[in-house]
Coordinates of all heavy atoms in Angstrom, one line a residue:
M1 N 15.2 -70.8 -91.0 CA 15.7 -69.7 -90.1 C 16.0 -70.4 -88.7 O 15.1 -70.8 -88.1 CB 14.7 -68.6 -90.0 CG 15.1 -67.6 -89.0 SD 13.8 -66.3 -88.7 CE 13.4 -65.9 -90.3
P2 N 17.3 -70.5 -88.3 CA 17.6 -71.0 -87.0 C 17.3 -70.1 -85.9 O 17.5 -68.9 -86.0 CB 19.1 -71.3 -87.1 CG 19.6 -70.6 -88.3 CD 18.5 -70.2 -89.1
F3 N 16.8 -70.7 -84.8 CA 16.5 -70.0 -83.6 C 17.4 -70.6 -82.5 O 17.3 -71.8 -82.3 CB 15.1 -70.1 -83.2 CG 14.1 -69.4 -84.0 CD1 13.7 -69.9 -85.2 CD2 13.7 -68.1 -83.7 CE1 12.8 -69.2 -86.1 CE2 12.8 -67.4 -84.5 CZ 12.4 -68.0 -85.7
I4 N 18.3 -69.8 -81.9 CA 19.2 -70.4 -80.9 C 19.0 -69.7 -79.6 O 19.3 -68.4 -79.5 CB 20.6 -70.3 -81.4 CG1 20.8 -70.9 -82.7 CG2 21.6 -70.8 -80.4 CD1 22.1 -70.6 -83.5
Q5 N 18.7 -70.4 -78.5 CA 18.6 -69.8 -77.2 C 19.8 -70.3 -76.4 O 20.1 -71.5 -76.3 CB 17.3 -70.3 -76.5 CG 17.1 -69.8 -75.1 CD 15.8 -70.2 -74.5 OE1 14.8 -69.8 -75.1 NE2 15.8 -70.9 -73.4
V6 N 20.4 -69.4 -75.7 CA 21.6 -69.7 -74.9 C 21.1 -69.4 -73.4 O 20.8 -68.3 -73.1 CB 22.8 -68.7 -75.2 CG1 24.0 -69.0 -74.3 CG2 23.2 -68.9 -76.7
N7 N 21.2 -70.5 -72.6 CA 20.9 -70.3 -71.2 C 22.2 -70.1 -70.5 O 23.1 -70.9 -70.7 CB 20.2 -71.6 -70.6 CG 18.8 -71.8 -71.3 OD1 18.1 -70.8 -71.5 ND2 18.5 -73.0 -71.6
L8 N 22.3 -69.0 -69.7 CA 23.5 -68.6 -69.2 C 23.4 -68.1 -67.7 O 22.4 -67.4 -67.4 CB 24.1 -67.4 -70.0 CG 25.4 -66.8 -69.8 CD1 26.5 -67.9 -70.1 CD2 25.7 -65.6 -70.6
G9 N 24.2 -68.6 -66.8 CA 24.2 -68.2 -65.5 C 24.5 -66.7 -65.4 O 25.4 -66.2 -66.1
A10 N 23.7 -65.9 -64.7 CA 23.9 -64.5 -64.6 C 25.2 -64.1 -64.1 O 25.8 -64.9 -63.3 CB 22.8 -63.9 -63.7
G11 N 25.7 -62.9 -64.5 CA 27.0 -62.5 -63.9 C 27.9 -62.0 -65.0 O 29.0 -61.5 -64.7
R12 N 27.6 -62.2 -66.3 CA 28.5 -61.7 -67.4 C 28.2 -60.3 -67.7 O 27.1 -59.8 -67.5 CB 28.3 -62.6 -68.6 CG 28.4 -64.1 -68.6 CD 29.6 -64.5 -67.7 NE 29.9 -65.9 -67.8 CZ 29.2 -66.9 -67.3 NH1 28.1 -66.7 -66.8 NH2 29.7 -68.2 -67.4
T13 N 29.2 -59.6 -68.2 CA 29.1 -58.2 -68.6 C 28.3 -58.1 -69.9 O 28.2 -59.1 -70.7 CB 30.4 -57.5 -68.8 OG1 31.1 -58.1 -70.0 CG2 31.3 -57.6 -67.6
A14 N 27.8 -56.9 -70.2 CA 27.1 -56.7 -71.5 C 28.0 -57.0 -72.7 O 27.6 -57.6 -73.7 CB 26.5 -55.3 -71.5
A15 N 29.3 -56.6 -72.5 CA 30.2 -56.9 -73.6 C 30.4 -58.4 -73.8 O 30.6 -58.8 -75.0 CB 31.5 -56.2 -73.3
Q16 N 30.5 -59.1 -72.8 CA 30.7 -60.6 -72.9 C 29.5 -61.2 -73.6 O 29.6 -62.1 -74.4 CB 30.9 -61.2 -71.5 CG 32.3 -60.9 -70.9 CD 32.4 -61.4 -69.5 OE1 31.4 -61.3 -68.7 NE2 33.5 -61.9 -69.1
K17 N 28.3 -60.8 -73.2 CA 27.1 -61.4 -73.8 C 27.0 -61.0 -75.2 O 26.6 -61.8 -76.1 CB 25.8 -60.9 -73.0 CG 25.8 -61.5 -71.6 CD 24.5 -61.2 -70.8 CE 24.6 -59.8 -70.3 NZ 23.5 -59.4 -69.4
D18 N 27.3 -59.8 -75.6 CA 27.3 -59.3 -77.0 C 28.3 -60.2 -77.8 O 27.9 -60.6 -78.9 CB 27.7 -57.8 -77.0 CG 27.7 -57.3 -78.5 OD1 26.6 -57.2 -79.0 OD2 28.8 -57.1 -79.0
A19 N 29.5 -60.4 -77.3 CA 30.5 -61.2 -78.0 C 30.0 -62.6 -78.2 O 30.2 -63.2 -79.3 CB 31.8 -61.2 -77.2
L20 N 29.3 -63.2 -77.2 CA 28.8 -64.5 -77.3 C 27.7 -64.6 -78.3 O 27.8 -65.5 -79.2 CB 28.2 -65.0 -75.9 CG 27.5 -66.3 -75.9 CD1 28.5 -67.4 -76.3 CD2 26.9 -66.6 -74.5
I21 N 26.7 -63.8 -78.3 CA 25.7 -63.9 -79.3 C 26.2 -63.7 -80.7 O 25.7 -64.3 -81.7 CB 24.4 -63.1 -79.0 CG1 24.7 -61.6 -78.9 CG2 23.8 -63.6 -77.7 CD1 23.5 -60.7 -78.7
R22 N 27.1 -62.8 -80.9 CA 27.7 -62.5 -82.2 C 28.5 -63.8 -82.7 O 28.4 -64.2 -83.9 CB 28.6 -61.3 -82.2 CG 27.8 -60.0 -82.1 CD 28.7 -58.8 -82.0 NE 28.0 -57.6 -81.7 CZ 27.3 -56.9 -82.6 NH1 27.3 -57.2 -83.9 NH2 26.6 -55.8 -82.2
A23 N 29.2 -64.4 -81.8 CA 30.0 -65.6 -82.2 C 29.1 -66.7 -82.5 O 29.3 -67.5 -83.5 CB 31.0 -65.9 -81.1
V24 N 28.1 -66.9 -81.7 CA 27.1 -68.0 -82.0 C 26.4 -67.8 -83.3 O 26.3 -68.7 -84.1 CB 26.1 -68.1 -80.8 CG1 25.0 -69.1 -81.2 CG2 26.8 -68.6 -79.6
S25 N 26.0 -66.6 -83.6 CA 25.3 -66.3 -84.8 C 26.2 -66.6 -86.0 O 25.8 -67.2 -87.0 CB 24.9 -64.8 -84.8 OG 24.2 -64.5 -86.1
S26 N 27.4 -66.1 -86.0 CA 28.4 -66.3 -87.1 C 28.6 -67.8 -87.3 O 28.6 -68.3 -88.4 CB 29.7 -65.6 -86.8 OG 30.6 -65.8 -87.7
A27 N 28.9 -68.5 -86.2 CA 29.2 -70.0 -86.3 C 28.0 -70.7 -86.8 O 28.2 -71.6 -87.7 CB 29.5 -70.5 -84.9
A28 N 26.8 -70.4 -86.4 CA 25.6 -71.1 -86.9 C 25.4 -70.8 -88.4 O 25.1 -71.8 -89.2 CB 24.3 -70.7 -86.2
A29 N 25.6 -69.6 -88.8 CA 25.4 -69.3 -90.2 C 26.4 -70.0 -91.1 O 26.1 -70.6 -92.1 CB 25.6 -67.8 -90.4
E30 N 27.6 -70.1 -90.6 CA 28.7 -70.8 -91.4 C 28.4 -72.3 -91.4 O 28.5 -73.0 -92.4 CB 30.1 -70.5 -90.8 CG 31.2 -71.2 -91.5 CD 32.5 -70.9 -90.9 OE1 32.7 -69.8 -90.3 OE2 33.4 -71.7 -91.1
A31 N 28.1 -72.9 -90.3 CA 27.9 -74.3 -90.1 C 26.8 -74.9 -91.0 O 26.9 -76.0 -91.5 CB 27.6 -74.7 -88.7
I32 N 25.7 -74.1 -91.1 CA 24.6 -74.6 -91.9 C 24.3 -73.8 -93.2 O 23.3 -74.0 -93.9 CB 23.3 -74.7 -91.1 CG1 22.9 -73.3 -90.6 CG2 23.4 -75.6 -89.9 CD1 21.5 -73.3 -89.9
S33 N 25.3 -73.0 -93.6 CA 25.3 -72.3 -94.9 C 24.0 -71.5 -95.1 O 23.3 -71.7 -96.1 CB 25.5 -73.3 -96.0 OG 26.7 -74.0 -95.9
V34 N 23.7 -70.6 -94.1 CA 22.6 -69.7 -94.3 C 23.1 -68.3 -94.1 O 24.2 -68.1 -93.5 CB 21.5 -70.0 -93.3 CG1 20.9 -71.4 -93.5 CG2 22.0 -69.8 -91.9
P35 N 22.4 -67.3 -94.6 CA 22.9 -65.9 -94.3 C 22.7 -65.6 -92.9 O 21.8 -66.0 -92.2 CB 21.9 -65.1 -95.2 CG 21.1 -66.0 -96.0 CD 21.3 -67.4 -95.4
E36 N 23.7 -64.9 -92.3 CA 23.7 -64.6 -90.9 C 22.4 -63.7 -90.5 O 21.9 -63.8 -89.4 CB 24.9 -63.8 -90.5 CG 25.1 -63.8 -89.0 CD 26.4 -63.3 -88.5 OE1 27.4 -63.3 -89.3 OE2 26.6 -63.1 -87.3
A37 N 21.9 -63.0 -91.5 CA 20.7 -62.2 -91.3 C 19.5 -63.1 -90.9 O 18.5 -62.6 -90.4 CB 20.4 -61.4 -92.5
S38 N 19.6 -64.4 -91.2 CA 18.4 -65.3 -90.9 C 18.5 -66.0 -89.6 O 17.6 -66.7 -89.2 CB 18.3 -66.3 -92.0 OG 19.3 -67.3 -91.9
V39 N 19.7 -65.8 -88.9 CA 19.9 -66.4 -87.6 C 19.4 -65.6 -86.5 O 19.6 -64.3 -86.4 CB 21.4 -66.7 -87.4 CG1 21.7 -67.3 -86.1 CG2 22.0 -67.5 -88.5
R40 N 18.7 -66.2 -85.5 CA 18.2 -65.5 -84.4 C 18.9 -66.1 -83.1 O 18.8 -67.3 -82.9 CB 16.7 -65.7 -84.2 CG 15.9 -65.2 -85.4 CD 16.0 -63.7 -85.7 NE 15.1 -63.3 -86.8 CZ 15.5 -63.1 -88.0 NH1 16.8 -63.3 -88.3 NH2 14.7 -62.6 -88.9
V41 N 19.5 -65.3 -82.3 CA 20.2 -65.8 -81.1 C 19.7 -64.9 -79.9 O 19.7 -63.6 -80.1 CB 21.7 -65.7 -81.2 CG1 22.4 -66.2 -80.0 CG2 22.2 -66.5 -82.5
W42 N 19.4 -65.5 -78.8 CA 19.1 -64.7 -77.6 C 19.6 -65.4 -76.4 O 19.8 -66.6 -76.4 CB 17.6 -64.4 -77.5 CG 16.7 -65.6 -77.3 CD1 16.3 -66.1 -76.2 CD2 16.2 -66.4 -78.4 NE1 15.5 -67.2 -76.4 CE2 15.5 -67.4 -77.8 CE3 16.3 -66.4 -79.8 CZ2 14.8 -68.4 -78.5 CZ3 15.7 -67.4 -80.5 CH2 14.9 -68.4 -79.8
I43 N 19.8 -64.6 -75.3 CA 20.3 -65.2 -74.1 C 19.1 -65.1 -73.0 O 18.4 -64.1 -72.9 CB 21.5 -64.3 -73.5 CG1 22.7 -64.5 -74.5 CG2 21.8 -64.7 -72.1 CD1 23.8 -63.6 -74.1
V44 N 19.0 -66.2 -72.3 CA 18.1 -66.3 -71.1 C 19.1 -66.4 -69.9 O 19.8 -67.4 -69.8 CB 17.2 -67.5 -71.2 CG1 16.4 -67.6 -69.9 CG2 16.3 -67.3 -72.4
E45 N 19.1 -65.4 -69.1 CA 20.0 -65.4 -67.9 C 19.2 -66.1 -66.7 O 18.1 -65.8 -66.4 CB 20.4 -64.0 -67.5 CG 21.4 -63.4 -68.4 CD 22.0 -62.2 -67.8 OE1 21.3 -61.1 -68.0 OE2 23.1 -62.2 -67.2
V46 N 19.9 -67.0 -66.1 CA 19.4 -67.7 -65.0 C 20.1 -67.1 -63.7 O 21.3 -67.0 -63.7 CB 19.7 -69.2 -65.1 CG1 19.2 -70.0 -63.9 CG2 19.1 -69.8 -66.4
P47 N 19.4 -66.7 -62.7 CA 20.0 -66.2 -61.5 C 21.0 -67.1 -60.9 O 20.8 -68.3 -60.9 CB 18.8 -66.0 -60.6 CG 17.6 -65.8 -61.4 CD 17.9 -66.7 -62.6
A48 N 22.1 -66.6 -60.5 CA 23.2 -67.4 -60.0 C 22.8 -68.2 -58.8 O 23.5 -69.2 -58.5 CB 24.4 -66.4 -59.6
T49 N 21.8 -67.8 -58.1 CA 21.3 -68.6 -56.9 C 20.5 -69.8 -57.4 O 20.1 -70.6 -56.5 CB 20.5 -67.7 -56.0 OG1 19.4 -67.1 -56.8 CG2 21.3 -66.6 -55.4
E50 N 20.2 -69.9 -58.7 CA 19.3 -70.9 -59.2 C 20.0 -71.9 -60.1 O 19.4 -72.7 -60.8 CB 18.1 -70.3 -59.9 CG 17.2 -69.5 -58.9 CD 16.1 -68.9 -59.7 OE1 15.8 -69.2 -60.8 OE2 15.4 -68.0 -59.0
V51 N 21.4 -71.9 -60.0 CA 22.2 -72.8 -60.8 C 23.1 -73.6 -59.8 O 23.8 -72.9 -59.1 CB 23.1 -72.1 -61.8 CG1 23.9 -73.1 -62.6 CG2 22.2 -71.3 -62.8
L52 N 23.0 -74.9 -59.9 CA 23.9 -75.7 -59.0 C 25.0 -76.4 -59.8 O 24.7 -77.0 -60.8 CB 23.0 -76.7 -58.3 CG 23.7 -77.4 -57.0 CD1 23.8 -76.3 -55.9 CD2 22.8 -78.5 -56.5
V53 N 26.2 -76.2 -59.3 CA 27.4 -76.8 -60.0 C 28.2 -77.5 -58.9 O 28.7 -76.9 -58.0 CB 28.2 -75.8 -60.7 CG1 29.4 -76.4 -61.4 CG2 27.4 -75.0 -61.7
G54 N 28.3 -78.8 -59.0 CA 29.1 -79.6 -58.0 C 28.7 -79.3 -56.6 O 29.5 -79.3 -55.7
G55 N 27.4 -79.2 -56.3 CA 26.9 -79.1 -55.0 C 26.9 -77.6 -54.4 O 26.6 -77.4 -53.3
Q56 N 27.3 -76.7 -55.3 CA 27.3 -75.3 -54.9 C 26.6 -74.5 -55.9 O 26.6 -74.8 -57.1 CB 28.8 -74.7 -54.9 CG 29.7 -75.3 -53.9 CD 31.1 -74.7 -54.0 OE1 31.6 -74.4 -55.1 NE2 31.7 -74.4 -52.8
T57 N 25.9 -73.4 -55.4 CA 25.2 -72.6 -56.4 C 26.3 -71.8 -57.1 O 27.4 -71.6 -56.6 CB 24.2 -71.6 -55.7 OG1 25.0 -70.7 -54.8 CG2 23.2 -72.3 -54.9
L58 N 25.9 -71.3 -58.3 CA 26.8 -70.4 -59.0 C 27.2 -69.2 -58.2 O 28.4 -68.8 -58.2 CB 26.2 -70.1 -60.4 CG 27.1 -69.3 -61.3 CD1 28.4 -70.0 -61.6 CD2 26.3 -69.0 -62.6
A59 N 26.3 -68.7 -57.4 CA 26.6 -67.5 -56.6 C 27.6 -67.8 -55.6 O 28.6 -67.0 -55.3 CB 25.3 -67.0 -55.9
E60 N 27.6 -69.0 -54.9 CA 28.6 -69.4 -54.0 C 29.9 -69.6 -54.6 O 31.0 -69.2 -54.1 CB 28.2 -70.7 -53.3 CG 27.0 -70.6 -52.4 CD 26.4 -72.0 -52.0 OE1 26.6 -73.0 -52.7 OE2 25.7 -72.0 -50.9
R61 N 30.0 -70.2 -55.8 CA 31.2 -70.3 -56.5 C 31.8 -69.0 -56.9 O 33.0 -68.8 -56.9 CB 31.0 -71.2 -57.8 CG 30.7 -72.6 -57.4 CD 30.3 -73.4 -58.7 NE 31.4 -73.5 -59.6 CZ 32.2 -74.5 -59.8 NH1 32.1 -75.6 -59.0 NH2 33.2 -74.5 -60.7
Q62 N 31.0 -68.0 -57.3 CA 31.5 -66.7 -57.7 C 32.1 -66.0 -56.5 O 33.1 -65.4 -56.6 CB 30.4 -65.9 -58.3 CG 29.9 -66.4 -59.6 CD 28.6 -65.7 -60.1 OE1 27.9 -65.1 -59.4 NE2 28.4 -65.8 -61.4
V63 N 31.5 -66.2 -55.3 CA 32.0 -65.5 -54.1 C 33.4 -66.1 -53.7 O 34.3 -65.4 -53.4 CB 31.1 -65.7 -52.9 CG1 31.7 -65.3 -51.6 CG2 29.8 -64.8 -53.1
R64 N 33.5 -67.5 -53.8 CA 34.7 -68.1 -53.5 C 35.9 -67.9 -54.4 O 37.0 -68.0 -54.1 CB 34.5 -69.6 -53.3 CG 33.6 -69.9 -52.1 CD 33.4 -71.4 -51.9 NE 32.5 -71.5 -50.8 CZ 32.1 -72.7 -50.3 NH1 32.5 -73.8 -50.8 NH2 31.2 -72.7 -49.3
S65 N 35.5 -67.6 -55.7 CA 36.6 -67.4 -56.7 C 37.1 -65.9 -56.7 O 38.0 -65.6 -57.4 CB 36.1 -67.8 -58.1 OG 35.1 -67.0 -58.5
S66 N 36.4 -65.0 -56.0 CA 36.8 -63.6 -56.0 C 37.8 -63.3 -54.9 O 38.1 -64.0 -54.1 CB 35.7 -62.7 -55.9 OG 34.5 -63.1 -55.3

């Protein structure tokens, strides 16, 4: 039974997160030939102020891109 944790910077919508975990579950089941019912996928959201990308926090990048 595969267990898959996705670490994701906060800021995605519920619909985006739902689409992500469904796609990951399906891909994992197909890749390793197991029933999708045996795949476990969850998201751990990291606050945007606690992720650094290219010297800027994710929160800073989100403000500049809006």
Side-chain angles (χ1 to χ4, degrees):
M1 174 183 314
F3 290 83
I4 303 166
Q5 178 173 304
V6 178
N7 295 321
L8 187 65
R12 303 321 190 286
T13 67
Q16 289 172 319
K17 292 184 285 188
D18 182 72
L20 175 61
I21 60 174
R22 289 176 188 277
V24 168
S25 179
S26 177
E30 183 179 332
I32 61 173
S33 300
V34 297
E36 194 167 350
S38 73
V39 178
R40 306 294 186 260
V41 181
W42 64 93
I43 293 173
V44 174
E45 284 191 281
V46 180
T49 56
E50 296 179 12
V51 178
L52 197 67
V53 180
Q56 295 180 319
T57 66
L58 185 55
E60 292 167 334
R61 291 173 62 98
Q62 290 170 343
V63 166
R64 291 184 184 179
S65 67
S66 28

